[in-house]
Amino acid sequence: MRSRQRMFAAVMRLLLKCLRLGRRRRFKLVRQVEQLWHYGHLCLRSLLYNSFTNGDVVLDSLFEPVYWLVDHVTRWFGVVFVALVIGLTSSIVAIVYICLLPLILQTYTPAWICWHLAYGHWNLIMIVFHYYMAITTSPGHPPQAKNDLTGVSICRKCIAPKPARTHHCSICNRCVLKMDHHCPWLNNCVGHYNHRYFFSFCLFMTMGCIYCSISGWEMFRDAYAAIERMKLLDKERLQVAANQTYYQTPPPTFSFRQRAFHKSVVYLWVLCSSVALALGALTLWHAALITRGETSIERHINRKERQRLQKKGKVFRNPYSYGSWDNWKVFLGVDMPRHWLTRVLLPSPHPPHGTGLSWDLPPCVTEQHTPLLAI
């Protein structure tokens, strides 16, 4: 009897000891999990802590995958966009030479024929020249050696010196001198050395589209009316075939050449008018930026700086603006009056003022403007 009681007591003690050990281990495991959780939370906060963090930073971080996708799509589709520009422009030129030019030579007076031939070919030469130069000219990149530059910042992505007005292009993955934007229609950045080519291409392309739209308005109306007549005649022909009235004379048919001619004229006018509106708005936007002496990126930077100084009672002055007229002379590279003809109205590969590394006063500026922040 006593032996049974002793055995029962020993079993109970062993069972209680096991329960205590399990409870201690369970509590120890819970404490370890809590410690790991607090440690991980503290590490995450220390890594993400930034005194400048705000809603804009968080929003940019959330949209980073979208930016990455757009950058890569733009990089790989740049060649497609360039081919599209060349193809559409070539189609318009082919329609003009094949369809419209013979009609102009037959119906217009000699004075109007000379005007159309001179202006049309001059505009075409300017478009082709400036587009070729814009896509083949490098926008300019800062040197990688730190000894070549003084008093500049460091690009956080390139880890290299970054001169004034230089910005990093995420698509080209390089810093660009006086960067304006990355243009997918050029498959190239618009920067210090090809900014004039880009703007001139936009300007002359807009002028050419407006010229085609105005000159071809009457032809467009006639071609559109002819296409509507084609549709009505096709409908009548189907009705005659359905009724099988052999005594009735079938309506006349349009030849393939006539159909192609009318549809080509409509295509030309619609495409030129659309491009004139869209590209004309872009050209006016860049003309306003050039007048103020700033790029597309600098406009946003200057606007924020202007608002910041306005709160302090100060006035912001763009240090790279020399006045509206002088800004245009610097941008176009006009140093003397004859340059308006040789460098603006005729194709010219002359380089811009300066190297894009420093911004000294150009020689064509009539008077020096104080590039300071006035109180």
Side-chain angles (χ1 to χ4, degrees):
M1 187 71 181
R2 289 182 179 176
S3 61
R4 289 181 179 179
Q5 291 178 352
R6 290 176 182 174
M7 186 179 296
F8 180 75
V11 170
M12 292 301 295
R13 285 196 297 269
L14 181 62
L15 182 61
L16 289 175
K17 183 181 286 188
C18 291
L19 289 174
R20 288 197 197 99
L21 288 175
R23 188 177 302 172
R24 288 177 183 175
R25 289 178 180 177
R26 186 169 56 198
F27 288 155
K28 187 176 181 181
L29 181 62
V30 171
R31 284 197 299 270
Q32 288 178 352
V33 171
E34 289 180 352
Q35 289 177 357
L36 289 175
W37 169 259
H38 290 303
Y39 178 74
H41 184 65
L42 181 61
C43 289
L44 186 64
R45 291 190 62 184
S46 64
L47 291 174
L48 298 180
Y49 176 75
N50 189 347
S51 59
F52 297 100
T53 301
N54 52 23
D56 294 336
V57 176
V58 174
L59 191 64
D60 290 341
S61 301
L62 294 176
F63 275 91
E64 191 65 30
V66 180
Y67 298 150
W68 180 88
L69 180 63
V70 171
D71 291 345
H72 282 70
V73 168
T74 305
R75 182 184 305 171
W76 291 110
F77 274 83
V79 179
V80 178
F81 291 152
V82 171
L84 187 62
V85 171
I86 296 175
L88 293 177
T89 306
S90 301
S91 66
I92 296 298
V93 174
I95 291 173
V96 171
Y97 274 101
I98 297 173
C99 300
L100 301 186
L101 188 59
L103 189 62
I104 290 174
L105 295 176
Q106 293 174 5
T107 57
Y108 283 25
T109 61
W112 276 110
I113 291 175
C114 293
W115 155 253
H116 284 291
L117 290 177
Y119 179 81
H121 286 89
W122 169 78
N123 204 342
L124 178 61
I125 291 173
M126 297 298 285
I127 290 173
V128 173
F129 170 79
H130 287 102
Y131 188 68
Y132 175 78
M133 295 299 294
I135 63 178
T136 56
T137 303
S138 172
H141 307 284
Q144 298 298 317
K146 296 183 180 181
N147 296 331
D148 297 340
L149 300 174
T150 57
V152 295
S153 60
I154 301 297
C155 178
R156 292 178 295 179
K157 297 183 179 180
C158 295
I159 315 299
K162 187 172 72 172
R165 311 187 79 178
T166 300
H167 300 280
H168 186 88
C169 177
S170 58
I171 299 175
C172 299
N173 198 24
R174 295 187 67 179
C175 282
V176 178
L177 299 176
K178 192 191 170 185
M179 179 180 175
D180 188 90
H181 69 287
H182 184 94
C183 182
W185 300 102
L186 301 178
N187 194 28
N188 195 7
C189 270
V190 177
H192 179 62
Y193 288 102
N194 65 347
H195 194 181
R196 180 179 65 88
Y197 298 130
F198 164 76
F199 177 79
S200 298
F201 163 72
C202 293
L203 177 63
F204 289 112
M205 178 64 82
T206 303
M207 292 171 56
C209 291
I210 293 175
Y211 163 73
C212 290
S213 298
I214 295 176
S215 301
W217 169 244
E218 295 296 333
M219 297 180 184
F220 166 74
R221 292 177 58 184
D222 296 339
Y224 186 80
I227 291 176
E228 292 298 323
R229 287 197 303 271
M230 292 179 197
K231 294 179 180 178
L232 290 176
L233 292 176
D234 291 339
K235 189 175 181 180
E236 291 179 5
R237 189 178 300 106
L238 292 175
Q239 291 176 355
V240 169
N243 296 332
Q244 295 181 355
T245 54
Y246 296 102
Y247 61 87
Q248 197 173 13
T249 304
T253 59
F254 283 87
S255 64
F256 173 78
R257 185 174 181 179
Q258 290 174 328
R259 291 175 180 270
F261 174 83
H262 295 310
K263 291 181 179 180
S264 298
V265 171
V266 172
Y267 163 78
L268 178 144
W269 192 88
V270 172
L271 180 61
C272 288
S273 300
S274 304
V275 173
L277 290 175
L279 194 59
L282 179 66
T283 304
L284 291 176
W285 164 255
H286 279 278
L289 293 177
I290 295 169
T291 304
R292 295 197 295 263
E294 58 188 10
T295 62
S296 300
I297 297 177
E298 290 173 349
R299 177 188 176 275
H300 300 286
I301 298 175
N302 294 346
R303 180 170 57 85
K304 291 182 179 180
E305 188 68 14
R306 189 178 294 107
Q307 293 174 355
R308 186 184 70 85
L309 293 175
Q310 189 176 5
K311 295 178 181 178
K312 297 182 178 182
K314 299 181 180 180
V315 179
F316 173 77
R317 292 180 182 173
N318 184 8
Y320 307 111
S321 177
Y322 310 106
S324 301
W325 182 247
D326 287 335
N327 286 338
W328 278 102
K329 291 171 63 178
V330 172
F331 177 78
L332 297 174
V334 177
D335 297 330
M336 52 189 67
R338 64 182 177 86
H339 286 166
W340 289 103
L341 173 63
T342 59
R343 293 188 174 185
V344 179
L345 298 180
L346 294 176
S348 175
H350 66 278
H353 287 292
T355 60
L357 303 176
S358 60
W359 300 97
D360 300 328
L361 190 68
C364 60
V365 176
T366 55
E367 59 180 72
Q368 185 172 2
H369 296 261
T370 307
L372 299 175
L373 302 179
I375 299 177

